[in-house]
Amino acid sequence: MSCAATPTCPLRVGSLELPSPVLVAPMVGITDAPFRALCQEMGAGLVTTEMVAAEAVIRHIPAALRLLEFSPEVKPVAAQLVGCDPHAMAEAARICADRGAMVIDANLGCPVKKVVSRGSGATLARDVGATARVLEAMVKAVDVPVTVKMRLGWDAKSINAPELARALQDVGVAMVTVHGRTRAQGYSGRADWDAIACVKAAVAIPVIGSGDVGDPVEIRRDIDNGRVDGVVVARGMLGNYQFLRRAVHFVATGELLPEPTFEQRIAFARRHLEMLIEHYGEARALTIGRKYVAWTIKGCAGAARLRAMVQDLERRPQLEALWDLALEAGVGPQGWYVPVFTSGEG
Ligand SMILES: Cc1cc2nc3c(=O)[nH]c(=O)nc-3n(C[C@H](O)[C@H](O)[C@H](O)COP(=O)(O)O)c2cc1C
């Protein structure tokens, strides 16, 4: 039996009890070790890797294995795998569990061409029987909970999320995250939370909602009303890190923390960049970190001038100078910028 997670009824994923029903979504190029550490600090119920190709994992490709480096302090942590071959997905799940992943998630929603053309992601999810075979192999291969993340279906005419979720529950999948859009929709329109609630009504395992998560009050209302057991935060926290903390806190206590001040936002981004430098070294961190700096300074007065400096970020003193200029500039007339994405991998 699942129940909507409340302070008295925690969210359970198989044998694992999560500290909050507000989880962090897998995001390619974002949910690396430093980002996960920040999210855990802000109280996330579960953090995860970005999707990693199972075939690359079983062939021990170094770039894939680097995505699967887990620090023992950052937990609970999931590894997300993408693939369509039961043996490869099972073997990759074993490798992830051996490396410290406490949950193994299968990506059944990725809409991008290079994934769907190989029969994985949203393509695999079109075939309920084939998907169930893959997940059954994964469940049998590991002792940790196996979960999935899916879309509503391929397109409006082929919504199969409730049927798919039921079939996966039957083979032992412990939790389902549903992005309330079809593959055909990409990231257009609004996510359909009524359709996500239909998946919740179809299964007893926890169902987590995804899509346009950006309001702590809505999150708590959907959980309290039993429409979902939890949510995953994705674009809502890019350039606006503390959204996660405010959501976790509101769901746990009903108290809405104030929006962070301009100085607090800059201080948080600054610390994130420090963590990236510690993890990757200065040169690589400043390349990876440019997007975070760009999101953070977009709301500043005279942002265009600051943005030009982001392209050239190579050394720490340049970064320090940029933060100082941003603080001097203050927030611009348009207010704080919240990034809008038109694409993603799930
Ligand atoms: C940059 C980016 C990368 C993403 N990468 C993944 C991924 O690796 N695996 C996955 O299942 N979903 C991925 N997604 C989808 C998100 O997990 C989430 O389901 C989607 O963004 C909808 O939530 P939102 O509207 O709150 O952003 C990605 C999304 C973005 C924006």
Side-chain angles (χ1 to χ4, degrees):
M1 259 299 278
S2 101
C3 70
T6 66
T8 50
C9 181
L11 176 55
R12 278 180 199 284
V13 185
S15 53
L16 201 62
E17 190 175 297
L18 304 186
S20 166
V22 180
L23 323 182
V24 174
M27 283 182 278
V28 169
I30 310 272
T31 47
D32 58 5
F35 191 87
R36 294 196 299 266
L38 275 183
C39 292
Q40 190 218 23
E41 209 178 275
M42 288 190 282
L46 182 68
V47 292
T48 178
T49 66
E50 63 181 69
M51 64 172 182
V52 187
E55 295 287 347
V57 176
I58 64 173
R59 283 189 285 126
H60 298 279
I61 305 289
L65 295 182
R66 271 198 296 276
L67 297 172
L68 298 169
E69 280 165 9
F70 302 108
S71 130
E73 303 90 57
V74 179
K75 56 184 185 187
V77 64
Q80 192 190 56
L81 292 170
V82 64
C84 57
D85 175 67
H87 302 291
M89 288 288 269
E91 181 53 23
R94 241 191 310 266
I95 292 171
C96 292
D98 286 348
R99 294 173 75 89
M102 298 165 76
V103 172
I104 313 295
D105 189 55
N107 181 322
L108 303 177
C110 183
V112 305
K113 266 211 183 92
K114 72 171 193 288
V115 171
V116 294
S117 65
R118 290 180 189 154
S120 300
T123 299
L124 179 61
R126 300 181 84 168
D127 185 336
V128 172
T131 310
R133 284 191 289 280
V134 170
L135 269 299
E136 187 172 22
M138 294 173 77
V139 169
K140 284 187 176 148
V142 291
D143 292 333
V144 297
V146 174
T147 62
V148 298
K149 182 158 175 284
M150 60 170 76
R151 284 183 174 240
L152 295 175
W154 184 261
D155 58 22
K157 289 198 216 90
S158 55
I159 302 285
N160 68 352
E163 179 198 353
L164 183 59
R166 262 195 310 268
L168 299 182
Q169 168 180 268
D170 289 348
V171 298
V173 164
M175 178 172 83
V176 178
T177 299
V178 184
H179 178 184
R181 292 185 175 91
T182 62
R183 191 267 171 177
Q185 275 179 296
Y187 280 77
S188 63
R190 298 284 301 168
D192 182 347
W193 282 72
D194 289 338
I196 297 173
C198 288
V199 181
K200 162 81 183 143
V203 292
I205 54 176
V207 172
I208 305 298
S210 171
D212 310 321
V213 172
D215 180 354
V217 178
E218 267 179 31
I219 297 173
R220 184 164 159 140
R221 195 193 54 213
D222 282 336
I223 295 174
D224 284 351
N225 291 343
R227 283 159 64 78
V228 289
D229 296 282
V231 302
V232 287
V233 174
R235 292 173 296 176
M237 68 173 294
L238 302 181
N240 185 15
Y241 303 92
Q242 281 102 332
F243 168 66
L244 177 64
R245 189 193 298 284
R246 295 178 77 238
V248 168
H249 188 78
F250 187 76
V251 169
T253 65
E255 179 201 11
L256 202 52
L257 295 174
E259 289 276 7
T261 62
F262 179 74
E263 287 75 17
Q264 284 169 333
R265 289 181 195 250
I266 300 272
F268 209 86
R270 204 170 197 155
R271 198 156 76 74
H272 184 194
L273 266 288
E274 287 305 317
M275 289 164 79
L276 289 173
I277 290 171
E278 197 173 311
H279 188 78
Y280 292 110
E282 191 169 319
R284 184 130 187 266
L286 289 181
T287 306
I288 292 172
R290 281 179 199 165
K291 56 184 177 282
Y292 301 110
V293 181
W295 289 327
T296 305
I297 55 137
K298 259 194 173 165
C300 288
R305 184 173 61 103
L306 297 175
R307 207 157 47 237
M309 293 173 67
V310 178
Q311 315 308 322
D312 300 328
L313 271 181
E314 277 171 3
R315 305 302 307 266
R316 206 190 207 121
Q318 292 170 290
L319 179 67
E320 290 304 323
L322 185 53
W323 291 135
D324 290 344
L325 281 174
L327 277 173
E328 258 170 52
V331 74
Q334 312 287 326
W336 198 266
Y337 172 81
V338 176
V340 180
F341 276 82
T342 52
S343 66
E345 318 273 340

